[in-house]
């Protein structure tokens, strides 16, 4: 343990809160994190990190669930109007909102990759004064967008880590790579970073999240509960006709969607593991007396393993195609998000447990947590690191929450920000071989 580091983080604590509140106030959804990314890139550059950004770290073609052009450019202009660095902002044009920064100690040692995420959710934030962001003046000023998962805190943790590691550079070995990932919500972003090769030189990898059901004072060093998942948008196109005058001329997209929904929920489970399928949205038709020529579904599949998710997804595609054929309509299926299975590397978790135990602000260290959770596309980066012989884990820094994740009155415990920076800095400083 380092007194210098502890002092440095104590001094930094108010700044961590200020960053978090600033990001909270200006939430940006996946692939539109223009302001957030520009602020981060500029700060890291000032601190002496080697910053790569935009097309250097995001494979544009591997992005999933990218908003339409109008949404991207409106968000881009909004960031420009907010007065961020134009030079950095331009690097993110078109929604290439990733930032990766490297600090090379110049001494031999492993490359440690630390991943935080940046994006907000399509949620209207609570406005009543008991909701602290509203009561204390940092509530979202972007209607319909909110940091309701803690990624504002994650971005602040990343900046704080950049600060303390730059100050403690003389004690580092190897290299530290800070990865600021866009579009985690909807599991849309990690594949684009993986395809750009962002973690291909990473020997040790940590992704981190606040909260996730763990109270303040706990730390999970290896979270294994994430499900593999696929997010599919389906569009049925048929032919409209007068429902009374000439119904036989129509090709009913609504009916295809309805049959598909029934069939999707009847997909047999798999004997090798649990699965999930949900149709979360169905939209079809225009008028009571017209055969519907258009229907859209938003569905997701999940599995305890990638193979189970692939099984459910393949069956889902067959069901959708069958329903379309039966109504003589076409079905177009687009994958708008995906995450694979991944378990934390045991040796890495064991080492992190040793580093974390006894740090201030931590009362309980949990080595592995296998509780079933949602999905997280950090697994895509973890799996890539492991496939190349590296070690990877997903950590949870517990945080008391005002309300559950993705709720309008969600709020984190800001006292956890310096704790998270301390944990990650100690892991970086403990790196040897
Ligand atoms: Zn999250």
């Amino acid at each position: 343990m380092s007194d210098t580091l502890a002092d440095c983080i104590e001094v930094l604590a108010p700044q961590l809160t200020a960053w978090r509140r600033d990001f909270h106030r200006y939430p940006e959804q996946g692939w539109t994190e223009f302001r957030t990314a520009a602020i981060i890139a500029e700060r890291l550059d000032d601190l002496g990190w080697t910053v790569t950004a935009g097309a250097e770290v995001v494979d544009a073609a591997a992005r999933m669930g990218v908003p339409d052009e109008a949404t991207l450019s409106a968000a881009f202009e909004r960031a420009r109007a907010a007065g961020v660095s134009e030079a950095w902002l331009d690097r993110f044009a078109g929604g290439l909102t990733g930032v990766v920064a490297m600090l090379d100690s110049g001494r031999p040692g492993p490359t440690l990759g630390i991943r935080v995420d940046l994006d907000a959710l399509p949620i209207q934030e609570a406005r009543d004064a008991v909701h602290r962001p509203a009561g204390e003046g940092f509530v979202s000023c972007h209607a319909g967008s909110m940091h309701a998962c803690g990624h504002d805190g994650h971005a602040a943790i990343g900046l704080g880590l950049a600060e303390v590691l730059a100050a403690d550079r003389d004690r580092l070995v190897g290299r530290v790579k800070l990865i600021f990932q866009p579009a985690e919500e909807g599991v849309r972003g990690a594949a684009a970073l993986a395809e750009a090769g962002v973690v291909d030189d990473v020997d040790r990898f940590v992704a981190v999240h606040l909260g996730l059901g763990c109270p303040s004072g706990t730390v999970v060093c290896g979270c294994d509960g994430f499900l593999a998942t696929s997010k599919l948008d389906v569009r049925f196109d048929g032919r409209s006709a007068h429902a009374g005058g000439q119904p036989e001329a129509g090709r009913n997209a609504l009916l295809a969607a309805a049959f598909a929904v029934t069939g999707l929920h009847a997909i047999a489970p798999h004997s090798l593991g649990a699965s999930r399928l949900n149709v979360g949205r169905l939209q079809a038709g225009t008028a009571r007396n017209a055969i519907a020529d258009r229907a859209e579904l938003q569905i997701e599949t999940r599995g305890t393993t990638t193979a189970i998710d692939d099984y459910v997804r393949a069956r889902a595609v067959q069901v959708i195609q069958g329903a379309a054929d039966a109504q003589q309509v076409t079905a177009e299926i687009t994958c708008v998000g995906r995450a694979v299975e991944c378990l934390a590397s045991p040796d890495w978790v064991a080492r992190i447990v040793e580093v974390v135990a006894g740090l201030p602000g931590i009362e309980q260290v949990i080595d592995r947590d296998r509780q079933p959770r949602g999905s997280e596309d950090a697994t895509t980066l973890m799996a890539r690191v492991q496939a190349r012989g590296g070690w990877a884990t997903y950590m949870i820094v517990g945080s008391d929450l005002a309300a559950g994740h993705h709720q309008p009155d969600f709020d984190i415990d800001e006292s956890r920000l310096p704790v998270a920076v301390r944990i990650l800095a100690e892991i970086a400083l403990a790196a040897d071989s």
Side-chain angles (χ1 to χ4, degrees), residues 49-408:
W49 290 67
T50 305
V51 180
T52 46
E56 291 173 300
V57 299
V58 177
D59 180 331
R63 290 178 301 168
M64 290 179 278
V66 183
D68 60 36
E69 200 50 55
T71 305
L72 287 175
S73 61
F76 187 81
E77 291 309 323
R78 184 176 66 185
R80 189 193 299 283
V84 292
S85 154
E86 296 262 339
W88 283 110
L89 185 60
D90 286 342
R91 303 275 287 275
F92 308 120
L96 303 172
T97 42
V99 179
V100 176
M102 179 81 91
L103 189 66
D104 191 341
S105 70
R107 286 174 285 279
T111 298
L112 170 68
I114 296 172
R115 178 276 211 170
V116 293
D117 44 16
L118 305 176
D119 57 326
L121 284 150
I123 291 174
Q124 180 66 37
E125 184 163 17
R127 287 278 188 267
D128 30 292
V130 291
H131 178 54
R132 195 173 42 166
E136 296 188 20
F138 61 99
V139 73
S140 166
C141 63
H142 294 161
S145 293
M146 176 189 173
H147 272 293
C149 197
H151 300 188
D152 48 351
H154 303 167
I157 290 165
L159 278 179
L161 200 53
E163 194 103 15
V164 298
L165 291 180
D168 236 347
R169 190 178 187 146
D170 292 346
R171 292 204 299 136
L172 282 174
V173 297
R175 308 189 300 168
V176 180
K177 201 171 194 182
L178 284 177
I179 300 163
F180 294 84
Q181 184 200 308
E184 188 285 321
E185 299 294 352
V187 291
R188 297 174 290 155
L193 300 191
E195 286 304 311
V198 160
V199 293
D200 289 355
D201 59 351
V202 168
D203 307 299
R204 307 281 180 266
F205 178 87
V206 178
V208 66
H209 207 296
L210 292 163
L212 298 184
C214 302
S216 293
T218 57
V219 176
V220 175
C221 298
C223 177
D224 285 336
F226 294 118
L227 300 171
T229 186
S230 300
K231 317 294 184 192
L232 305 177
D233 281 356
V234 185
R235 180 176 145 165
F236 296 97
D237 277 300
R239 189 193 306 150
S240 190
H242 193 287
Q246 203 182 16
E248 72 283 4
R251 298 289 178 265
N252 198 326
L254 182 153
L255 216 45
F259 279 122
V261 171
T262 317
L264 286 166
H265 281 287
I267 290 173
H270 199 290
S271 59
L272 294 180
S275 61
R276 310 265 192 280
L277 183 144
N278 190 53
V279 180
R281 187 175 159 90
L282 187 167
Q283 197 169 29
T286 51
R288 185 192 313 278
N289 58 1
I291 303 291
D293 62 348
R294 167 86 70 88
E296 290 171 349
L297 298 179
Q298 291 182 2
I299 76 172
E300 62 170 24
T301 61
R302 298 186 203 244
T304 47
T305 65
T306 309
I308 300 285
D309 183 57
D310 286 347
Y311 155 78
V312 181
R313 174 179 164 158
R315 290 289 296 119
V317 169
Q318 289 166 338
V319 166
I320 291 162
Q321 199 53 60
D325 290 347
Q327 300 302 323
Q328 297 176 283
V329 304
T330 60
E332 189 183 295
I333 303 170
T334 311
C335 181
V336 294
R338 185 162 189 266
V340 300
E341 69 174 294
C342 189
L343 302 180
S345 308
D347 294 344
W348 186 216
V349 172
R351 192 172 294 189
I352 289 173
V353 167
E354 279 173 28
V355 173
V356 167
L359 288 180
I362 298 169
E363 285 129 38
Q364 194 188 8
V365 178
I366 298 163
D367 58 345
R368 296 186 89 94
D369 180 320
R370 296 184 174 87
Q371 264 187 70
R373 299 178 184 277
S375 301
E376 229 300 351
D377 68 355
T379 55
T380 299
L381 297 168
M382 291 168 65
R384 181 114 168 180
V385 170
Q386 290 174 339
R388 302 172 72 88
W391 291 351
T393 192
Y394 192 97
M395 293 184 71
I396 301 170
V397 175
S399 167
D400 295 337
L401 303 173
H405 289 265
H406 297 204
Q407 292 181 18

